[in-house]
Amino acid sequence: MKQETITTGRTVAAATAAAEQYFNVSADRLQIEILAEPKKGFLGFGEAPAKIRAIYEQTPVDLAVAFIKTLVTNMGIDADITVGDTDAGKRISVNGDGASILIGHHGETLDQLQYLVNLAANKKDGEDDDREYTRISLDVEGYRTKREDTLRSLARRMASRVLRTHRSVTLEPMPAYERRIIHSEIQTIEGVTTHSIGAENTRRVVISEDFYDDEEEEGADEE
């Protein structure tokens, strides 16, 4: 999404600084077009400021951060928002007093917010907008990292039980990204395998020995 403004100043640098303040970004994020050079004038007459047009193109991450800032401000939450990289895209982390309310029961609220954040970030600005989709992961108070550690530990414990008892274990329903963590961890353990059963919100991971009957794997994930 492109935005533009026209600013003036005693110098081009001053006009650029005004544009930086207007968009709250550094000059390297702006496209600057000089509309008029400053004129000194004579005896106070004929003096004219520099005039520039500044164009700011927001990235998907910019749009996502703006969405989150608006949300936490409206909720009265004093939070720090940081952006980092992940293997699949970008991660936006929210930390601060009261921010934990954004997590919800078992991360349900966080999952819903993440969905909305991705919608806001990847909204097309007309038919000519050919930007690639940017996948954004939203984390609050380190919940995602802690949850991932918990899930990997759970996967190892259940794999050990399966190998000890020779009986399959069915886990509680989980969202797709959590099921992928379980699948990934089980792949590192010899002698066990996974598949999923159920549909939509009731989809569960089943951990079993690796000679599990293929005929019973009709519900396997395509994750």
Side-chain angles (χ1 to χ4, degrees), residues 123-151:
K123 182 179 180 181
K124 296 294 185 180
D125 188 18
E127 295 181 358
D128 296 332
D129 190 342
D130 58 356
R131 290 177 301 163
E132 293 185 1
Y133 187 89
T134 299
R135 186 177 299 279
I136 295 174
S137 171
L138 179 63
D139 196 7
V140 174
E141 294 290 321
Y143 174 83
R144 296 282 191 209
T145 301
K146 297 171 186 174
R147 180 63 174 163
E148 180 173 337
D149 290 342
T150 298
L151 290 171

Side-chain angles (χ1 to χ4, degrees), residues 201-221:
N201 294 335
T202 63
R203 202 148 174 81
R204 303 165 179 257
V205 175
V206 178
I207 304 173
S208 58
E209 291 188 271
D210 61 5
F211 52 78
Y212 193 86
D213 188 351
D214 291 339
E215 292 181 0
E216 297 184 35
E217 294 190 13
E218 295 179 357
D221 275 317

Side-chain angles (χ1 to χ4, degrees), residues 6-209:
I6 293 176
T7 58
T8 60
R10 296 193 62 181
T11 63
V12 170
T16 300
E20 289 179 296
Q21 184 175 7
Y22 178 84
F23 289 116
N24 194 29
V25 297
S26 59
D28 59 359
R29 295 290 309 279
L30 302 174
Q31 300 175 41
I32 303 296
E33 178 186 357
I34 300 176
L35 301 178
E37 294 283 357
K39 296 180 180 178
K40 292 184 178 180
F42 181 71
L43 297 178
F45 296 98
E47 183 175 345
K51 180 186 291 187
I52 67 167
R53 175 183 288 112
I55 300 174
Y56 170 46
E57 185 169 5
Q58 291 177 294
T59 67
V61 173
D62 292 330
L63 294 169
V65 170
F67 178 89
I68 297 168
K69 283 184 176 178
T70 300
L71 175 69
V72 298
T73 298
N74 289 343
M75 294 181 67
I77 299 172
D78 184 14
D80 292 325
I81 300 171
T82 57
V83 179
D85 295 315
T86 68
D87 293 339
K90 295 289 186 179
R91 170 165 289 182
I92 298 177
S93 299
V94 182
N95 296 281
D97 292 339
S100 59
I101 195 175
L102 301 175
I103 299 173
H105 180 64
H106 287 309
E108 292 177 356
T109 302
L110 181 57
D111 290 339
Q112 292 165 0
L113 287 176
Q114 179 171 283
Y115 173 74
L116 294 176
V117 165
N118 277 275
L119 285 182
N122 292 284
K123 182 179 180 181
K124 296 294 185 180
D125 188 18
E127 295 181 358
D128 296 332
D129 190 342
D130 58 356
R131 290 177 301 163
E132 293 185 1
Y133 187 89
T134 299
R135 186 177 299 279
I136 295 174
S137 171
L138 179 63
D139 196 7
V140 174
E141 294 290 321
Y143 174 83
R144 296 282 191 209
T145 301
K146 297 171 186 174
R147 180 63 174 163
E148 180 173 337
D149 290 342
T150 298
L151 290 171
R152 292 193 181 278
S153 177
L154 173 66
R156 292 191 296 271
R157 291 201 314 273
M158 293 302 101
S160 178
R161 177 187 295 181
V162 168
L163 292 172
R164 185 177 67 254
T165 64
H166 307 291
R167 299 183 63 179
S168 300
V169 172
T170 302
L171 303 181
E172 64 181 15
M174 296 179 184
Y177 88 92
E178 291 193 350
R179 296 197 305 271
R180 283 194 290 269
I181 293 171
I182 297 292
H183 291 312
S184 173
E185 188 64 23
I186 292 298
Q187 286 176 2
T188 68
I189 303 173
E190 186 176 354
V192 288
T193 187
T194 57
H195 69 283
S196 291
I197 58 174
E200 299 180 356
N201 294 335
T202 63
R203 202 148 174 81
R204 303 165 179 257
V205 175
V206 178
I207 304 173
S208 58
E209 291 188 271

